[in-house]
Amino acid sequence: MKKFSLKPQGGSCMKMFCKSWLFIGLLVTFCLAACSDDDDKAETPVFPAKQNIVCNAGETTDFTFTANTNWSLASSAIWCKFKSDATEEYVVSGTAGTHTVTVMATGDDQKVDKASVAKLELTMGGQTIVIGEVTRSAVGSELKIFDLEGNEIDKSTGLKVGYDSYAQFKVKANFRFAVTNLPGWVQLEGGSLVGTVDKEVKGGLKIIQDENREKYPVEANIEKNVITFADEEGKAFYEFPIYYEGMNSTEIKLTTPTTFATGWVVTMDGKTFTQQSIGGTGTTTLQNRLPFTIKTLKDDYVIVFMSKGWDDKIHLVGSMYDFFTYDWMHCEGEKGNLSIIIDEYKPNSWNGDPEERSGYILAFSREVYERDIKDKEEEAILTEEGEIEYRYEQSNLIMAFTQKEVKEETGPKSFTIKKGGEEDVSVTQTTDQNLLEIIQGNYSIENKNVYSMSANAGDYFLIYPLLSANEWAGAVSVINRQGQNITVDDETAGEGDDMYYGIAIPDTFVEELIIIFRGPDYINRKALVITPAN
């Protein structure tokens, strides 16, 4: 973009004297042909869209436009001029390109009862089009903006736009006003702002987040990003540039394919990534890579790779405890859209390579990394026991995984059961023939889908039947060996494949409880037999 400077226009003319009329004739013929060629090559003017700006008496503002051929720009009003250094003109001109001119407004011919409008007329190729209108408020109108401490904010500073909260300010004017214009990416606190004569009113600005724009600062620019205050009668208009400093420099937000970063398994060829849900009822499977996004100021972040070393503790990749002397975890992508890629693993027993390896990938905002992590990564990120600090696991861990040989499961799935919601409980297939006959005879459940576990009175269990949403929607029956319904304290919660059944074992517990899991099609899918432990 060119910052336009005014230059005086002038020209020169040359005279030639010829003694030969024949030469003159040839010269005229040549000139006519040349003029015809220039006309054929003349650029068709393309005029920019019209802009509306506000410039009150005593103020200046920039006006930027693009012309595709030689041009001149003229002001239609005596009070509106173009300024460059010590020069003030009503007409400026230049060649093709993008230009910025400085518009100034004086107090000449200023009206008391209405605003004044000057037209900026661009001439190119013999055509003249209005490409700008400059509005000057009526004489006597005044509007000022202050911060919350009462310090006046001028146009050279502009109004701040907040990130996750409103950046507040105060406005006072000697006329009734309202905010009439804002950029589409800015939200006005309360949705509107109206002020009365000589009364301070408080307002606030905040960015409208879309997971992308809030990452990047916006400079104050009177041409592109302004807030406009206008009176209800159209006599006064005041524009102030607004600016945005960006999101918090210490903040980072990771968006990964699943809720939790831990528990991933990568196949030995590095092609398949899987993670089983907490209840064990659903599995997420990704091919070739794990995609994720990072949101941080200006996309400025640092990726840290760690792995489990030969001392069975987590260390930085490349540390003295690392099994490997090469990079095998990679992060690829642009800006905040990234992917994790894991190399194929072929353990070399001669080198003492483990049969499987574990990796940990974290991301930090640049400021947090420079302030808290750099030059002391392991000390800062890990506990004394060699595990990742809880705060970093919750906020900065992208992926924790094991790369190992994955064997395909065969046969029916049993149950995932957690005592007290945390402790894993194992089950076995039921071998009690009398129970199997009762369950199969009365509920048509095959023996291979009947499992058993033991419990004590008062125990509480979360039971995940490992059935899809189509196979089980939460219906259960709790019976005894005689087929009688038993009343228990229970609940069904979760959604889809992560639905579970919670049950509290009765205080009086002397014989088996049999839980029948029934599908939405009224077909009984599985049975769990809970026997007294004592």
Side-chain angles (χ1 to χ4, degrees), residues 277 279-283 463-474 492-501 520:
S277 64
T281 61
T283 300
I463 301 171
Y464 297 85
L466 305 184
L467 296 170
S468 70
N470 293 328
E471 295 175 309
W472 182 63
T492 301
E495 295 181 357
D497 294 348
D498 285 328
M499 184 174 290
Y500 65 84
Y501 174 68

Side-chain angles (χ1 to χ4, degrees), residues 445-510:
I445 300 176
E446 296 182 49
N447 292 351
K448 66 179 182 180
N449 291 323
V450 181
Y451 293 84
S452 295
M453 59 171 280
S454 60
N456 292 308
D459 287 345
Y460 180 78
F461 298 95
L462 297 183
I463 301 171
Y464 297 85
L466 305 184
L467 296 170
S468 70
N470 293 328
E471 295 175 309
W472 182 63
V476 298
S477 297
V478 181
I479 60 172
N480 59 18
R481 184 183 284 263
Q482 291 75 38
Q484 299 169 327
N485 291 323
I486 304 298
T487 301
V488 294
D489 185 6
D490 62 356
E491 64 173 343
T492 301
E495 295 181 357
D497 294 348
D498 285 328
M499 184 174 290
Y500 65 84
Y501 174 68
I503 182 172
I505 305 302
D507 292 335
T508 302
F509 181 47
V510 294

Side-chain angles (χ1 to χ4, degrees), residues 318-329:
S319 75
M320 61 179 291
Y321 298 95
D322 199 353
F323 282 105
F324 312 102
T325 58
Y326 54 85
D327 294 332
W328 54 280
M329 295 177 280

Side-chain angles (χ1 to χ4, degrees), residues 88-100:
E88 298 176 5
E89 299 287 346
Y90 291 103
V91 181
V92 292
S93 62
T95 58
T98 298
H99 303 273
T100 297

Side-chain angles (χ1 to χ4, degrees), residues 177-192:
F177 67 87
V179 171
T180 59
N181 179 63
L182 267 180
W185 54 272
V186 179
Q187 181 176 340
L188 180 64
E189 187 173 12
S192 63

Side-chain angles (χ1 to χ4, degrees), residues 281-408:
T281 61
T283 300
T284 299
T285 302
L286 304 171
Q287 297 298 324
N288 299 319
R289 62 189 63 226
L290 182 140
F292 69 100
T293 62
I294 293 179
K295 186 171 80 169
T296 190
L297 179 64
K298 298 180 183 179
D299 293 315
D300 196 9
Y301 50 81
V302 178
I303 304 294
V304 176
F305 297 96
M306 311 189 84
S307 64
K308 188 162 288 189
W310 51 261
D311 61 348
D312 204 36
K313 294 182 179 181
I314 301 173
H315 298 280
L316 281 175
V317 166
S319 75
M320 61 179 291
Y321 298 95
D322 199 353
F323 282 105
F324 312 102
T325 58
Y326 54 85
D327 294 332
W328 54 280
M329 295 177 280
H330 310 278
C331 182
E332 298 182 355
E334 295 182 353
K335 294 186 176 181
N337 298 309
L338 305 163
S339 293
I340 297 298
I341 297 174
I342 307 300
D343 288 346
E344 182 180 9
Y345 182 40
K346 294 180 178 179
N348 187 333
S349 59
W350 292 99
N351 293 337
D353 291 348
E355 292 185 359
E356 59 185 51
R357 58 185 178 183
S358 298
Y360 307 82
I361 305 171
L362 303 96
F364 298 90
S365 68
R366 175 69 61 180
E367 180 164 325
V368 169
Y369 180 81
E370 296 289 337
R371 185 190 66 195
D372 302 334
I373 308 297
K374 188 178 181 180
D375 300 326
K376 53 179 181 179
E377 282 97 336
E378 288 196 12
E379 178 184 345
I381 297 174
L382 303 175
T383 65
E384 293 182 358
E385 292 74 27
E387 298 295 330
I388 296 174
E389 288 273 6
Y390 178 77
R391 57 176 170 152
Y392 294 139
E393 180 181 317
Q394 295 298 305
S395 301
N396 302 90
L397 183 63
I398 301 167
M399 180 187 186
F401 68 95
T402 301
Q403 189 174 18
K404 63 181 181 179
E405 191 73 39
V406 178
K407 297 180 180 180
E408 187 175 350

Side-chain angles (χ1 to χ4, degrees), residues 191-202:
S192 63
L193 181 63
V194 177
T196 56
V197 178
D198 293 330
K199 298 291 184 180
E200 278 190 350
V201 60
K202 185 185 295 184

